[in-house]
Amino acid sequence: MTRTLRAWVSPALLGLILGVVMVVIPDSSLKPTDMVLVETRRASSVDVNPDVVWILAVGSDARPGEDLTRARGDALQLVGINSVTGAATAIGIPRDSYVAIPGVGMNRVNAALYYGGPELLAETIGDMVGIDADYVFVTSFKRFQALVDGIGGITVNNPRFFSDPYLKPKGFEEGKIGLRGYTAMAFARVRKGLAAGDFDRSANQQRVMQGIQERLREKSSTPGFLEAGVISAMENLATTSSPSKMFHLAHVVATLRSSKFTMCVVQGSLANVGGASVVLPYLDQARRYGDEARDDATIENC
């Protein structure tokens, strides 16, 4: 089958942050290694709609000086984009999900990035969900903050008040709230102040990326906006994609409609393994999400 979209696809960040990469003025204090796009060796046995692209977006927990692609993944979102219908789906994977990592054994899913880089992480999540990502996009949280600031901030609909003594002592109010770079990062990373912990955090990450996409849609009609962003992406992203390919997908992402954007998080039970707190994911649920979304990037309900 000819994969027309995959012939020119480029990156995404934390879901639809792909578009953000393309629209931010370069920050000279950040390096291309702060964002990495890896094309996977996608399983040829999976027969899917050629107009749907799957991108695994990863927020790396790498410390200064560490390899971005060989640290533990702190935010994991598998995002499907349908270029024909304008639909998009994000499947959140709690980072503490205790699963089988090929060639490594049972461990937290985010450890796959540390042990084998983006390819192994994509393979591990592919085994969970039944969808093999076409691309893996990895970014640092410093870069994420710069990207959000670069589009003038975002708005999210926060379902409940929560706070964190370190990242956000005064907390986030319930309702529609505006977020800039740092507060968007904090909103996406807080876990301990949330009733459902890792599951709620993954859902908050999806709210952030929905806010990003809506902001992009607002700005996409500005003359030269996407073109300038492509130049920024080429200067700040470690990828071999051409400017024309990046512009094409940037336009697709920017024109997605939030009404066609579905977001689900793989649930699970809490457990203790070797003294460490982990999540035992409901693999049947993960597979159901994959089966529903694989062909058209749509999930009817979570």
Side-chain angles (χ1 to χ4, degrees):
M1 176 181 290
T2 301
R3 290 177 167 79
T4 57
L5 185 58
R6 292 190 186 96
W8 52 259
V9 72
S10 58
L13 164 63
L14 208 49
L16 296 179
I17 209 167
L18 159 138
V20 185
V21 175
M22 299 179 181
V23 297
V24 178
I25 300 301
D27 182 342
S28 60
S29 67
L30 300 176
K31 303 174 182 178
T33 51
D34 287 318
M35 298 188 297
V36 178
L37 174 68
V38 176
E39 183 176 358
T40 67
R41 297 185 297 274
R42 193 173 189 280
S44 58
S45 61
V46 179
D47 186 24
V48 298
N49 184 334
D51 298 307
V52 176
V53 174
W54 287 93
I55 306 166
L56 176 60
V58 184
S60 175
D61 199 25
R63 300 297 188 265
E66 293 181 344
D67 184 347
L68 193 71
T69 63
R70 297 307 288 264
R72 290 180 182 265
D74 192 69
L76 307 171
Q77 299 287 338
L78 182 61
V79 180
I81 300 173
N82 190 323
S83 67
V84 174
T85 66
T89 284
I91 301 174
I93 311 296
R95 71 169 191 177
D96 291 337
S97 298
Y98 194 66
V99 299
I101 300 177
V104 175
M106 297 299 295
N107 208 321
R108 288 171 172 159
V109 65
N110 67 343
L113 187 67
Y114 171 80
Y115 285 111
E119 281 280 359
L120 183 59
L121 180 60
E123 182 180 0
T124 302
I125 291 179
D127 289 344
M128 282 183 63
V129 182
I131 293 176
D132 296 292
D134 300 289
Y135 290 81
V136 182
F137 181 71
V138 187
T139 188
S140 67
F141 283 100
K142 184 178 180 182
R143 166 58 67 180
F144 172 72
Q145 293 180 56
L147 292 173
V148 174
D149 280 335
I151 57 172
I154 62 174
T155 299
V156 300
N157 191 6
N158 182 27
R160 69 192 71 81
F161 172 86
F162 67 94
S163 64
D164 181 90
Y166 302 104
L167 291 175
K168 185 67 172 175
K170 294 184 178 180
F172 296 94
E173 296 297 329
E174 179 182 342
K176 286 191 175 183
I177 56 176
L179 302 175
R180 299 290 295 188
Y182 175 82
T183 51
M185 178 277 296
F187 188 89
R189 295 198 72 179
V190 170
R191 176 185 60 171
K192 293 184 178 179
L194 297 170
D198 214 7
F199 307 111
D200 281 348
R201 172 170 57 183
S202 188
N204 278 346
Q205 291 165 2
Q206 294 175 343
R207 292 183 180 101
V208 167
M209 68 183 184
Q210 185 174 31
I212 289 170
Q213 195 279 325
E214 290 174 351
R215 182 65 170 155
L216 287 175
R217 183 175 175 80
E218 292 175 3
K219 297 175 72 70
S220 63
S221 60
T222 302
F225 178 72
L226 293 181
E227 291 86 347
V230 168
I231 296 174
S232 173
M234 299 305 293
E235 294 179 352
N236 288 275
L237 179 69
T239 183
T240 57
S241 293
S242 68
S244 61
K245 293 176 182 178
M246 298 186 78
F247 176 78
H248 195 170
L249 191 56
H251 183 267
V252 171
V253 171
T255 55
L256 291 174
R257 293 187 178 277
S258 58
S259 61
K260 294 185 176 182
F261 189 7
T262 56
M263 303 180 293
C264 298
V265 176
V266 176
Q267 303 294 302
S269 59
L270 302 181
N272 189 289
V273 176
S277 176
V278 300
V279 170
L280 302 180
Y282 298 148
L283 296 179
D284 57 341
Q285 182 188 59
R287 281 286 178 158
R288 177 173 69 82
Y289 291 163
D291 289 343
E292 284 192 35
R294 185 180 299 111
D295 292 338
D296 61 4
T298 300
I299 297 177
E300 290 299 324
N301 60 75
C302 298

